[in-house]
Each structure stands twice: as structure tokens, then as C-alpha cells.
Amino acid sequence: MAKNVVIVESPAKAKTIESYLGKDFLVASSYGHIRDLVKKDKGIEIENHFKPIYKIPEDKKNVVKELKKLAQKADTIWLATDEDREGEAISWHLKEALELSDNKIKRIVFDEITKKAILEAIKNPRGINYNLVNAQQARRVLDRLVGFELSPILWKKIRTKLSAGRVQSVAVRLIVEREREVDAFVPESRFKVVGLFSFTDEQGNPQQLKAELARFLKDEKEVEDFLRKCSTADFVIEDVEKKPFKRSPAAPFTTSTLQQEAARKLRYSVSRTMLIAQKLYEAGYITYMRTDSVNLSDFALDAAEQAIKNDFGNKYHHRRTYQTKSANAQEAHEAIRPTDISRETITASKDEKALYELIWKRAIASQMSDAEIERTTIKIFAKGLNDLFTAKGEVILFDGFLKVYLEDTDEENAENGEEGILPTVKKGLSLKMESITATERFTRPPSRYTEASLVKKLEELGIGRPSTYAPTISTIQKRGYVHKEERQGKEREYKVITLHKNGKLAKEVKTEITGGDKGKLFPTDIAAVVTDFLNKHFPEIMDYQFTARVEEELDEIALGKLEYEEMLKEFYFPFHKKVKVTIDVERPDTERVLGTDPATGLTVSVRLARFGPVAQKTDPKNSGAKPIYARLRKDQKLETITLEEALGLFKLPRVLGEYEGKEVIAAISSFGPYIKHDGKFISIKKQYDPFTITLVEAVHVIDSKRVSDSEKYIKVFDEDPSYQILNGRWGPYLKAGKRNIKLPKDREPTSFTFEECVALANNTEETKGKKKAGKKK
């Protein structure tokens, strides 16, 4: 039995570390947290200094039992959980649950899983940092108190199974408020003017120059007046301005900037990014991925210098140190970087490889020289015009860090002209006008949040910490407050007015698709109702500054500057008093009357029902009459739906006609739109709308479903129809009752007899769902 037992959080990490430590060390895993708050009475003894009451969950009892056995036989227990507050708390829980004495434990931390880092950590053990433990417990207790006291109020006043949280409710508020900004936005029309000019250069070659008017023109009349002046104007180059400037690289990744850039460049969700980063860290490829520091160690700076000079040359290297903007950043940590900066790529899955290469590029680029760029601005003047045309271009004189990496941005509303390489021109050069085109453009509403831009906003406001962003965004989607989806845009007309070189004006009306959104976060109606209720009754909980101030106080606890109990007392007792008062308030009225159905005289309204938003028709003269209901569509909202749109919902279910002597009906259920025929329900694909689908299209859906079903069944046995050989996503398989069993690949699926299938089912061990092993960070 090894004298030294090292306990880490994940088995993947355990294997890597054990290979570095040698025969005197055994590395075991706790599989994340081993204790959690009990559910009874919030799991907190409020009157006893807010003491948390922990228990070992059922799925962790065997883990704890095995770890206890190992601990009893070992001389020293090395607690090697992650170096953040959560990891520190796990080490403390291990000490308590395994009943370890202080003289038997050594706490070690490292921000990368490399042999050098692990051996260095073993040489420099420390004790458990109880300030970090208290900060983690304070966050856990605070979130438990908020969730356990607010959620029952929401169940009572709005709908069951709702939840509230100190950070999640604020995140939902951001998304709801942005959606209301989008709804309230009224686009304004204006015209963007672009001129195409020609000239002959000094070598006698014809050249063209495209330039943009320095301002927008407000309407069609102003456009026509301006173009008429242009038709007789003489255009000349008034000025050619060349300005050198430098572009500097972005800092190495923190958790939030990695999440944002992976979303922009790789299209990864926040949770997917963190899952992949966790794997890279556990495999020893990158440093710890939960950090708000942009620091790089001297070791990393030296390694980056060597790699850059070797790969690109001395002039590409520029040693830089970055200062984290956040006052509460944990500067002892490093930014996220490769553990071996000389390694440009790795052998791993496609996703892991892509994220690693992004991290490598960002880290390397941060230590490279500025890019040197020359920006040219050409100003074009014509007598009689008050406005200048300008053409802008950039020439990269020295690429510097751009050789490796350029950061993306979230900016979607930029309407800058195209920048590229411009022809060589001199001041005073006469230009010939080829055409001037005024294109109608519309102002755009604020952009809805993506997961990445929401992380950025939360970080700007100081809400949450690196470890909280991914679970918060996942939670608000799982709870049904927010959904991420793609929405098709709508067709819109716009005008194009062109002045040709012959002096004639041409007008066109064109169409474009506008308002489409991909991968954006949309709030549901329940999100809006809950946000309004919490804003009204718990404004402090929903206040951005208050939530950020809580984070600052947690940081103070972590630094030993604030007492755990003092912080909780100051928050909890006023909050609890407000909870007791709110129990007696009236339920929010979500009903919105839209008007009267002209065909029936019934009142049409919308409201939030038990299973979601509905439109309803009620008889104003007979309160006892049963209302008629229709579900709202996913892209409709209680706050903005019109009477006409609501009346359209009552057209479902639609009888489309008959097929094979039986009715064909189009409708929508909670599972989405469908066609009903001969007692069967067939889901409609995205290209069909239940409100407009024709009988011909519906018959095509029915026939297509029959074909796919017939292709699915390879063989059904008369001896027992529950035994079937089917075509699946990954090839033919045997369905035996509720079990799915792989078929040998060296046999033709149709050749199996019933007896062979029964034998195969009996001899194949039944696979059970994977047991959840404890919550991982």
C-alpha cells in the first residue's frame, strides 16, 4: 500500500498525475464534490451563525468509503483539488468526510498538469485556506437562501416548477430588457451614397476609385437634389492623407474571453467550450481554465520568446505583461495558455484540437510585435457640394502578431465602408464620375444577446465569476426562461437611386431579408412575467450593482477582510422580511385584452396559462361559457401579439381535405406542428407551416413517412413481433422488447432466425444508464 495518497477531483486527472509521481504515490479521485447541503430547512442553521448542514449523497457513499480505506492505510493524504475556491472547498469537505487530522494532510495546488508543476507542488505543500473555503460556502449559502425562499413564491404566484437565483435571475433580466428594446425599436430610413470614379494613372492605365459620402442622406428628395448637383459637378482629389498606426495584440485568454472567442470563431456554446477546456487541462495540454487573470508566468514568457524567435524571427517578438482590468481578479493565477508553448497543435479530437490551437494562437500573439499599418484617406471634392466623398484603405507595412491571430468582435451594427488597398493618386487629380448610387438603409435595433455577448455583459457588470458563467447560461435555458434558436428574417423593400455618367437618374425597388437571427438568446413569456414580478417585489436582488457588490464581498471574505456571518446577516434578514410580506401579494395578472373577434363578437385576449402562453376567446355576455383556447407560436409574445395574429391562431386545427377516404388535419401540439391522418400523428418538417400547408404537401409528408417507416423495418418475427431487426442511425440492430442490441457486422441482417435473435438477446448483457458520479466542476 502506498504511503502517500493524492486525491484529485477527476479520474482523467488522476491517471496523468500518477504517471509523474512514482511508486510511493497512489492517486485517487473524489469525482467532484463529495458532500452537499441537505434539502431540509434550506440545509442551513440560520440562527446558529448560518452554519451549513452537509450530507454525503447516495451516489458518493461508495466513493467516500473507498477513500476512507485508502486514507486509513496511508501516512500522508495530499489534497490536490483545483486551485480556486470550489477546489479549496472540496479539499475541506474531504478532510471533514474522511475524518483526517491536520497533521496527516498536505494541500497542494498547481495550474497545469505537467511533471514539473506536479513535482514543484509536492515540494511546496500548504494547509487548507479557510478564507477561500468560507467564500465558497458564503456563495453556496447565499444562493441556497435566495433560491429556496424565492422559488416557492414564484410557484405560488406565477407557476409551479419555476426557479429564481441571485445570478440567474439577473441574467434573465438582461435578456428580457434587451428583447423589449428590440420590440420598441422603430427603424428609420436613410440613404448611403457611394460614388464610383475613374481616372488614368501616370502610366496611362485606367483606374477606378470607389468612395463613400461622409454622411447619410435623410430621404428621397434630398437624394435627388444631391444627385442632380453631382451630375454637373467636377470631382477632384482634395487631399490624400496617410497615417501610420500600430495595432496591438489582445491579452491571453481568461475564462470569459475564451468563451467569447470560441463562440465567435468556432461557434461553440459556453458550456461546450468549458467541457473541452476541462479535457485539455486534465490531459496536461493547457493551464487551469477557470481564471480571470491575464498574467503569464516568467517561464511562459521565456518559452513564448524562444518559440516566436525560432518560428518567425527576432523582430516578431515583443515581451508584454498585461494588467487585469477587474479589481477582484485573482492575479496569483495565470491566464489560459498551452503548458508547452512550443507545441502548436496536439493529437486529440477535432473539437479539442481546434480549441487548443485557438489558445495557442492567442498566447503566442500576445507576445508578438505590434502590426504596423498605414491608413490612407482620400477626400474627393466638387465645387457646389457641401459634402466630401471619402475612400479609406489600409496597407500592412509589418504584419507582426497578425501573422498568427486577430481577435473577432461582436459588433454587428457597423456600417463602415469597405477598406482595402487604394490606387495611387495625388492631390488635385481630376476624376470622372462613372456612377453615384444612393441605397436606402435602415437603422438597426440593438442586437440580441448570444451566449458569448451575455458572458461579456455579465463580466462588465461584475456579476458572477469565471466558474459561474457556463452553469448560469445552461440553467436559464433548462428552466425554460430562455431559448437559443434561429429565426428567419422577413422580406423588406428598399430603394436604390443611381446617377449614371450620362446624367440620367434610375430608380429601382429591391428586396432584402432583414431581422433574421442565428444562435441568439430569446426570452420566453414566463421570463418576462417572472422578471417583472421580481423587479417589483425584490428590486435589490434584481439590481445589477447589488449583485456585483455581493461578488466584491465574497472576494473580501476570500482575502480574510470580511466575516462570513457578517455578510450573510446583512443580506438575509432584510431579504427574509421582504419574502414574508410578498407571500400575501396578489398574483400578477398576465392577461392582455386584444379586442373583439368581428366574426363572433367574442373577446380575444392572451395570457400565461399553466402550460404556457395562450390566446383565448371568451363570451363577455356569458361568464360561465367555456373559453376557446389556442397556443401562441414560439415566435409570438404576450406583450406584442396583435389581434389579427391572435385570430389567426384559432384557424388550427385545419381540415385540409381527405386522403384515402380519411380526413387530413394540420395542427400544433406542445411537441410542435403535425399532420393527423388515419389515427397517426406525423411531425411537419421546418419547410411547412401548419397554417399554410396544402393537402398536396400534407399527402407528400404522409407518403414520405410511410416510406421511411418501411425502410426502417428489415424483419419482424411472427413468433414474437416485439423482436424486430431495424435500420438505425448507425446501421442494422436487433430490437428485443425495450432493448436495442448490436448485430454482428459479418452477417446479412435478413439472415438471422428468430431463435438466433432470442439467443443473442439472452447472451448480451443488459447495459444500464451510467450512474451519475457526483457533480463535476
Side-chain angles (χ1 to χ4, degrees):
M1 178 65 203
K3 293 179 180 180
N4 297 280
V5 172
V6 181
I7 303 178
V8 296
E9 292 166 61
S10 80
K13 198 188 296 184
K15 290 176 186 175
T16 310
I17 293 172
E18 193 167 69
S19 68
Y20 298 144
L21 290 176
K23 62 179 181 179
D24 290 335
F25 287 83
L26 184 148
V27 184
S29 171
S30 70
Y31 295 87
H33 274 282
I34 58 162
R35 297 201 304 179
D36 196 9
L37 292 171
V38 300
K39 293 284 192 279
K40 188 179 179 184
D41 296 328
K42 305 182 185 75
I44 300 152
E45 292 181 357
I46 293 167
E47 302 302 329
N48 186 17
H49 312 289
F50 293 90
K51 181 185 175 184
I53 309 301
Y54 295 106
K55 73 166 187 176
I56 298 168
E58 284 299 320
D59 64 343
K60 285 303 178 74
K61 285 185 176 177
N62 284 337
V63 173
V64 172
K65 187 178 176 182
E66 290 302 315
L67 290 176
K68 266 189 177 180
K69 282 182 187 176
L70 294 174
Q72 286 165 2
K73 296 175 183 177
D75 294 339
T76 305
I77 303 299
W78 302 77
L79 300 174
T81 51
D82 289 339
E83 61 172 334
D84 55 12
R85 295 173 197 170
E86 207 74 22
E88 204 70 26
I90 292 174
S91 278
W92 174 73
H93 281 297
L94 284 164
K95 175 184 178 292
E96 295 293 307
L98 304 183
E99 300 171 352
L100 303 172
S101 59
D102 285 329
N103 60 7
K104 192 172 182 174
I105 63 171
K106 290 183 180 180
R107 172 80 171 113
I108 57 171
V109 294
F110 38 83
D111 67 355
E112 59 183 63
I113 302 175
T114 58
K115 188 170 185 175
K116 181 185 174 185
I118 301 301
L119 296 179
E120 192 66 28
I122 293 288
K123 288 179 190 174
N124 298 284
R126 62 167 172 82
I128 291 173
N129 184 329
Y130 287 96
N131 289 331
L132 293 180
V133 174
N134 287 337
Q136 189 275 342
Q137 287 195 105
R139 177 189 290 280
R140 187 79 179 87
V141 167
L142 191 64
D143 290 346
R144 171 61 70 92
L145 291 172
V146 171
F148 270 51
E149 297 215 358
L150 281 188
S151 297
I153 292 176
L154 298 181
W155 302 341
K156 206 170 186 180
K157 303 300 177 185
I158 301 175
R159 198 169 81 189
T160 58
K161 296 184 180 178
L162 291 176
S163 71
R166 183 180 58 84
V167 176
Q168 84 170 47
S169 296
V170 172
V172 172
R173 178 189 171 186
L174 281 169
I175 295 165
V176 168
E177 288 181 346
R178 177 58 56 87
E179 189 69 18
R180 285 173 173 165
E181 287 177 43
V182 173
D183 289 339
F185 184 81
V186 179
E188 293 180 5
S189 165
R190 55 192 185 172
F191 285 81
K192 177 181 178 179
V193 182
V194 176
L196 181 63
F197 305 93
S198 64
F199 65 95
T200 302
D201 65 17
E202 291 179 348
Q203 286 74 40
N205 299 315
Q207 299 283 355
Q208 286 194 329
L209 177 64
K210 189 182 280 189
E212 188 176 318
L213 196 67
R215 67 182 179 94
F216 288 97
L217 302 183
K218 64 180 179 181
D219 55 31
E220 202 171 335
K221 182 180 182 303
E222 188 178 11
V223 168
E224 291 183 13
D225 290 344
F226 177 78
L227 292 181
R228 285 194 186 98
K229 290 178 184 177
C230 289
S231 64
T232 56
D234 295 319
F235 292 93
V236 295
I237 303 290
E238 184 188 62
D239 190 27
V240 179
E241 186 180 74
K242 292 188 176 183
K243 279 187 179 178
F245 74 98
K246 292 183 178 181
R247 183 177 290 164
S248 298
F253 282 130
T254 62
T255 302
S256 71
T257 55
L258 175 64
Q259 291 169 350
Q260 292 168 51
E261 193 73 339
R264 291 187 290 242
K265 276 191 159 70
L266 304 176
R267 300 290 183 259
Y268 291 170
S269 68
V270 169
S271 57
R272 184 179 175 192
T273 296
M274 294 311 293
L275 186 65
I276 298 166
Q278 178 91 33
K279 290 178 180 176
L280 291 173
Y281 169 65
E282 289 177 353
Y285 289 129
I286 64 169
T287 54
Y288 192 51
M289 66 290 157
R290 291 190 182 91
T291 177
D292 46 15
S293 170
V294 289
N295 285 343
L296 290 178
S297 65
D298 288 339
F299 166 77
L301 293 172
D302 291 342
E305 179 177 355
Q306 191 63 46
I308 291 165
K309 287 180 176 179
N310 287 345
D311 292 346
F312 307 109
N314 290 1
K315 67 178 181 177
Y316 278 91
H317 176 254
H318 181 95
R319 194 179 185 99
R320 301 171 190 272
T321 55
Y322 293 87
Q323 191 66 39
T324 304
K325 294 177 184 176
S326 169
N328 304 308
Q330 299 172 52
E331 293 294 354
H333 295 178
E334 268 197 88
I336 303 169
R337 64 163 175 85
T339 54
D340 179 359
I341 286 184
S342 67
R343 189 195 317 223
E344 187 174 338
T345 188
I346 58 172
T347 303
S349 71
K350 182 182 174 184
D351 286 352
E352 289 167 32
K353 188 176 178 182
L355 191 65
Y356 175 85
E357 288 174 3
L358 188 67
I359 292 167
W360 180 86
K361 286 177 181 177
R362 179 81 164 220
I364 280 287
S366 76
Q367 297 305 306
M368 292 179 74
S369 304
D370 290 339
E372 296 174 15
I373 298 167
E374 184 179 76
R375 177 171 285 163
T376 303
T377 303
I378 300 172
K379 295 179 180 178
I380 300 171
F381 169 77
K383 195 173 180 181
L385 298 180
N386 296 323
D387 299 288
L388 293 172
F389 282 87
T390 59
K392 293 179 181 179
E394 287 185 358
V395 176
I396 296 174
L397 304 176
F398 173 62
D399 52 3
F401 77 93
L402 294 176
K403 200 170 192 74
V404 173
Y405 180 84
L406 178 63
E407 182 181 29
D408 283 357
T409 68
D410 288 313
E411 295 303 317
E412 296 180 8
N413 294 337
E415 293 194 64
N416 299 327
E418 292 181 12
E419 295 193 358
I421 297 175
L422 301 175
T424 302
V425 294
K426 289 183 178 179
K427 184 177 177 180
L429 177 69
S430 292
L431 300 174
K432 184 181 178 183
M433 185 270 291
E434 296 292 329
S435 66
I436 298 176
T437 303
T439 305
E440 188 176 19
R441 300 287 86 185
F442 297 86
T443 53
R444 299 179 185 178
S447 180
R448 291 181 174 93
Y449 287 108
T450 60
E451 287 192 5
S453 61
L454 181 60
V455 165
K456 186 178 181 182
K457 187 66 177 178
L458 290 170
E459 187 181 38
E460 284 173 2
L461 294 170
I463 295 167
R465 281 295 176 263
S467 60
T468 65
Y469 297 135
T472 296
I473 291 171
S474 294
T475 297
I476 61 178
Q477 292 180 66
K478 286 175 186 171
R479 301 291 189 194
Y481 287 124
V482 173
H483 49 89
K484 184 167 66 174
E485 64 176 76
E486 180 177 346
R487 288 196 180 171
Q488 301 299 316
K490 295 179 181 177
E491 196 171 73
R492 175 175 67 190
E493 290 185 344
Y494 67 97
K495 297 170 186 170
V496 179
I497 305 171
T498 304
L499 170 67
H500 294 286
K501 61 183 177 183
N502 60 9
K504 291 186 178 179
L505 287 182
K507 295 184 181 181
E508 289 180 272
V509 176
K510 296 185 177 182
T511 60
E512 62 184 352
I513 302 297
T514 182
D517 266 324
K518 189 173 183 179
K520 298 295 178 68
L521 298 173
F522 293 86
T524 58
D525 283 307
I526 197 71
V529 172
V530 168
T531 295
D532 289 343
F533 181 83
L534 293 177
N535 268 335
K536 181 178 179 181
H537 298 290
F538 298 94
E540 192 173 52
I541 293 290
M542 300 295 282
D543 180 63
Y544 301 135
Q545 291 182 337
F546 167 77
T547 311
R549 197 161 59 247
V550 167
E551 299 294 346
E552 290 170 5
E553 290 179 349
L554 290 170
D555 290 334
E556 288 180 16
I557 294 172
L559 295 169
K561 295 178 180 179
L562 181 65
E563 287 295 322
Y564 164 97
E565 184 183 1
E566 182 186 334
M567 181 259 199
L568 290 172
K569 276 169 66 176
E570 186 182 337
F571 165 80
Y572 177 71
F573 291 112
F575 167 70
H576 182 65
K577 189 176 179 181
K578 186 71 176 172
V579 168
K580 288 166 71 173
V581 171
T582 311
I583 289 170
D584 298 323
V585 302
E586 291 185 6
R587 292 169 62 93
D589 183 8
T590 62
E591 186 171 5
R592 178 171 159 248
V593 177
L594 303 179
T596 304
D597 179 2
T600 62
L602 298 177
T603 300
V604 181
S605 61
V606 288
R607 67 180 180 86
L608 192 64
R610 186 179 175 190
F611 298 109
V614 296
Q616 61 183 27
K617 290 183 182 180
T618 53
D619 189 343
K621 299 174 184 177
N622 182 5
S623 58
K626 191 175 179 181
I628 305 167
Y629 296 105
R631 285 178 183 272
L632 264 64
R633 302 176 70 159
K634 204 172 183 180
D635 58 350
Q636 293 174 326
K637 298 190 283 282
L638 294 176
E639 295 179 0
T640 58
I641 190 172
T642 64
L643 174 63
E644 184 182 4
E645 289 168 341
L647 287 171
L649 296 171
F650 293 97
K651 293 175 181 176
L652 295 183
R654 288 173 59 219
V655 177
L656 306 181
E658 286 192 358
Y659 178 52
E660 297 174 343
K662 291 176 180 160
E663 255 185 355
V664 179
I665 297 169
I668 297 179
S669 73
S670 56
F671 300 104
Y674 65 90
I675 293 294
K676 184 182 178 184
H677 176 254
D678 194 19
K680 293 184 175 66
F681 298 85
I682 306 161
S683 178
I684 300 177
K685 292 181 180 177
K686 279 186 178 179
Q687 66 262 40
Y688 295 119
D689 186 322
F691 289 92
T692 58
I693 190 170
T694 64
L695 178 62
V696 172
E697 290 168 335
V699 168
H700 175 70
V701 169
I702 294 165
D703 289 344
S704 297
K705 175 66 173 165
R706 287 175 179 173
V707 170
S708 65
D709 284 350
S710 67
E711 291 173 349
K712 179 181 176 182
Y713 291 92
I714 297 173
K715 197 170 186 179
V716 178
F717 294 97
D718 294 334
E719 294 92 332
D720 184 347
S722 69
Y723 276 76
Q724 303 166 354
I725 295 177
L726 305 175
N727 251 325
R729 188 175 172 186
W730 290 282
Y733 67 97
L734 170 65
K735 181 176 173 63
K738 293 183 179 180
R739 295 173 60 198
N740 295 337
I741 299 159
K742 286 182 181 177
L743 290 173
K745 290 184 178 179
D746 58 352
R747 285 276 301 274
E748 173 64 35
T750 54
S751 70
F752 283 91
T753 65
F754 176 67
E755 290 73 19
E756 286 175 319
C757 288
V758 172
L760 188 62
N762 291 337
N763 294 328
T764 302
E765 189 177 340
E766 189 168 353
T767 55
K768 294 182 179 177
K770 288 184 181 176
K771 190 176 181 182
K772 289 186 180 176
K775 209 172 182 181
K776 284 201 183 176
K777 285 177 43 188

